[in-house]
Amino acid sequence: MPFPQTEIPGRLQAELAARGIRMTEQRRAILKVIETAKKHLAAGQILRKAQRLNAAVDRSTVYRTLELLKRHRMVDELDLMHMDGDGHYYERKLARDHIHMACLRCGKITEFMSEIFDSLKQQLERDCRFSIVVARLEVGGYCSECRH
Amino acid sequence: MPFPQTEIPGRLQAELAARGIRMTEQRRAILKVIETAKKHLAAGQILRKAQRLNAAVDRSTVYRTLELLKRHRMVDELDLMHMDGDGHYYERKLARDHIHMACLRCGKITEFMSEIFDSLKQQLERDCRFSIVVARLEVGGYCSECRH
DNA sequence: TTAAGTGCAAATATTTTGCTGTCAC
DNA sequence: GTGACAGCAAAATATTTGCACTTAA
């Protein structure tokens, strides 16, 4: 599944440095949490995990850092069909987009890459003359174990 | 574009009646607002418009009715890339799914139906053995007028 | 009649902001 | 040294809930 893919620890930090963005202890903690995450994290979860690395990290710093990362297209913001509350989930943006499927019964999130999805995006660019910055396909339904 | 399609006024009301759901003046006002909407409406906009039809409509009734309609798959909930705040937008669910493209510069929302999108959903059902209830593809980028 | 629906006010959840002090470069 | 960043507390936004009253069927 796409999660680990070609992810090098410290990569986010290096990318920010390459763009001339100042590094702080707080940002380091937040970036590490996002890079080592094994699942999609909500802002509150990122805050708690980052505080374990650096107790000084504040909630507003988390939101400001997420905003920064979104602006630089280094994270994607997801809803995951709002399986739990109305917040957002965040994940490291990787080279290739993928689809998120959320099981409405067990809550499992499945990720899937598809050439058809890539073609669809090409179609939008071509037929609608739309220049895509971010494409988010989120599907709700029942996974193979829950569909019976 | 898909908005008008085969929409009959009073259809939502009829569908709820067919499912044995109680009709009230408040619901009638809210349903009418959703059916006659010319664009995607946020909950607060639905409230204000419904209050013009029936001043008694309360905010919580709007949310409770939207919840009801979502449960019955009669409306879709969208984010539209959070062009304005963090709320949701709602639209009448029509026979065929469509894609939403939000221009990050001018804010225009473009809707698009695609056979490739339909194939992609079929692929997910088949290859992932996932039973789709709702599929939401939202794209952010620059429309033909803003991409230059 | 009565279960379902509503209004109201208060609570909750999520995110943003102003301001003042701090730190990376 | 200085402009960018952080913490804190408070505000803003969005949505939900408990409860007593009302109404559709």
Side-chain angles (χ1 to χ4, degrees), chain B residues 24 26-27 56 58 60-61 64 86:
Chain B
T24 64
Q26 289 89 334
R27 283 188 181 165
D58 187 74
S60 52
T61 301
R64 286 192 273 233
D86 271 316

Side-chain angles (χ1 to χ4, degrees), chain A residues 15-81:
Chain A
E15 279 186 41
L16 282 179
R19 296 175 198 230
I21 286 158
R22 197 171 288 189
M23 190 49 48
T24 64
E25 281 309 314
Q26 290 87 336
R27 283 188 180 165
R28 242 185 288 277
I30 294 166
L31 297 181
K32 183 160 189 184
V33 168
I34 293 170
E35 274 182 329
T36 60
K38 290 188 172 41
K39 59 184 197 69
H40 310 88
L41 298 176
Q45 298 173 301
I46 295 173
L47 172 64
R48 276 195 304 282
K49 282 171 182 282
Q51 284 178 333
R52 268 180 237 144
L53 299 176
N54 180 340
V57 177
D58 187 74
R59 182 177 298 277
S60 53
T61 302
V62 169
Y63 281 108
R64 286 193 272 234
T65 302
L66 287 172
E67 187 55 43
L68 175 77
L69 295 172
K70 273 192 284 178
R71 213 165 45 237
H72 287 272
R73 321 252 171 253
M74 290 163 64
V75 297
D76 273 329
E77 188 177 65
L78 308 169
D79 283 16
L80 302 182
M81 292 292 149

Side-chain angles (χ1 to χ4, degrees), chain B residues 128-141:
Chain B
C128 304
R129 305 201 313 119
F130 190 91
S131 169
I132 297 177
V133 172
V134 48
R136 210 166 81 185
L137 173 53
E138 302 198 26
V139 180

Side-chain angles (χ1 to χ4, degrees), chain A residues 62 93 98-99 110 115 135 143:
Chain A
V62 169
K93 194 180 184 69
H98 54 267
I99 298 159
T110 307
E115 284 180 16
C143 75

Side-chain angles (χ1 to χ4, degrees), chain B residues 78-134:
Chain B
L78 308 168
D79 283 14
L80 302 181
M81 292 292 148
H82 297 301
M83 296 299 290
D84 188 67
D86 271 316
H88 296 115
Y89 295 88
Y90 299 89
E91 73 175 3
R92 176 82 176 86
K93 192 178 185 70
L94 300 174
R96 192 164 169 214
D97 279 346
H98 54 267
I99 297 160
H100 290 92
M101 284 171 282
C103 178
L104 301 172
R105 182 154 170 269
C106 72
K108 188 175 71 186
I109 305 297
T110 307
E111 302 185 324
F112 186 69
M113 294 202 280
S114 160
E115 285 180 17
I116 300 178
F117 185 39
D118 300 334
S119 307
L120 175 56
K121 289 190 290 177
Q122 283 170 33
Q123 183 191 31
L124 298 180
E125 296 253 6
R126 185 180 2 95
D127 294 4
C128 304
R129 305 201 313 119
F130 190 91
S131 169
I132 297 177
V133 172
V134 48

